[in-house]
Amino acid sequence: MSEVVNSACGSARWYLIQTKPRQEARAAEHLQRQQFECYRPVKHGEKKRGSRAPAEEELFPGYLFIHMDQASDNWYPIRSTRGVARIVTFGGMPVPVQDALIEQIRQRLLAPLAPPARVAFQEGETVRITAEGFNDVEAIFLAADGDERAVILLNLLQREQKVSLPVSSLSRMQVQA
């Protein structure tokens, strides 16, 4: 994550900057050199093959956030900064991003990653779909589709359909005595 503290914080807000393709780090670096506070959310992943440093993956490829006062700060230096494509606007005006959203992104990136869900269902087992909109519909578990998805057999309108859903949206049927 790239951050620099800006000394002018009066009525400063966060705004969204679109960067040139794969130039998020370059844009953040050049904006920080101009004393702008930037936030470039990245996920740190496994090391790439043949590399010593852990891989960084942009959370929002092609974008970064900048903290500034819309009324008093000059937008021209931002538009002419290396790596910056444009300031994201609606109706010609930059639209602020809520501080709470930036904080939520920061907290989420700091939280430890949960281990992927493991499929614990057996082929042919009756399961209940708990995803919103299905209202506890029953289906038959067919197979795992990777670590986080499952293929189920669903009876819809007198026809059986194979459907792939997240494992987290399935639950075991309760055995009734």
Side-chain angles (χ1 to χ4, degrees):
M1 282 179 275
S2 303
E3 295 182 59
V4 165
V5 178
N6 188 359
S7 57
C9 288
S11 61
R13 308 272 316 259
W14 287 102
Y15 295 92
L16 191 60
I17 301 288
Q18 184 177 18
T19 65
K20 293 179 181 173
R22 293 176 298 286
Q23 292 192 29
E24 299 88 354
R26 171 186 261 184
E29 177 186 346
H30 287 276
L31 287 167
Q32 289 167 352
R33 285 182 182 172
Q34 297 173 65
Q35 303 304 308
F36 288 107
E37 179 184 0
C38 295
Y39 180 54
R40 181 176 66 96
V42 293
K43 293 187 292 185
H44 297 282
E46 308 243 340
K47 293 181 182 179
K48 289 186 180 178
R49 225 174 180 190
S51 174
R52 293 182 186 198
E56 281 188 351
E57 181 182 346
E58 302 292 333
L59 196 59
F60 304 107
Y63 295 92
L64 61 87
F65 299 96
I66 188 167
H67 199 239
M68 60 186 300
D69 184 352
Q70 179 184 0
S72 66
D73 282 335
N74 184 357
W75 293 88
Y76 180 76
I78 296 168
R79 288 190 290 260
S80 62
T81 299
R82 284 179 175 241
V84 171
R86 67 183 186 95
I87 301 161
V88 177
T89 62
F90 292 100
M93 294 296 299
V95 178
V97 176
Q98 293 180 357
D99 290 345
L101 179 63
I102 300 297
E103 188 57 33
Q104 187 177 24
I105 293 168
R106 285 182 169 152
Q107 293 304 316
R108 206 164 209 182
L109 287 173
L110 290 174
L113 295 176
R118 297 287 177 219
V119 178
F121 303 107
Q122 301 296 319
E123 186 176 336
E125 180 179 356
T126 303
V127 294
R128 183 178 307 272
I129 304 172
T130 58
E132 193 172 320
F134 281 96
N135 296 339
D136 296 329
V137 172
E138 292 181 13
I140 296 175
F141 179 83
L142 291 179
D145 186 13
D147 285 339
E148 299 180 16
R149 297 191 66 79
V151 178
I152 59 168
L153 190 61
L154 189 60
N155 191 350
L156 291 173
L157 302 172
Q158 314 309 324
R159 296 185 73 186
E160 292 182 335
Q161 298 288 320
K162 285 184 182 179
V163 178
S164 179
L165 291 173
V167 173
S168 60
S169 67
L170 301 177
S171 68
R172 283 206 151 70
M173 295 292 296
Q174 299 297 325
V175 179
Q176 301 200 351

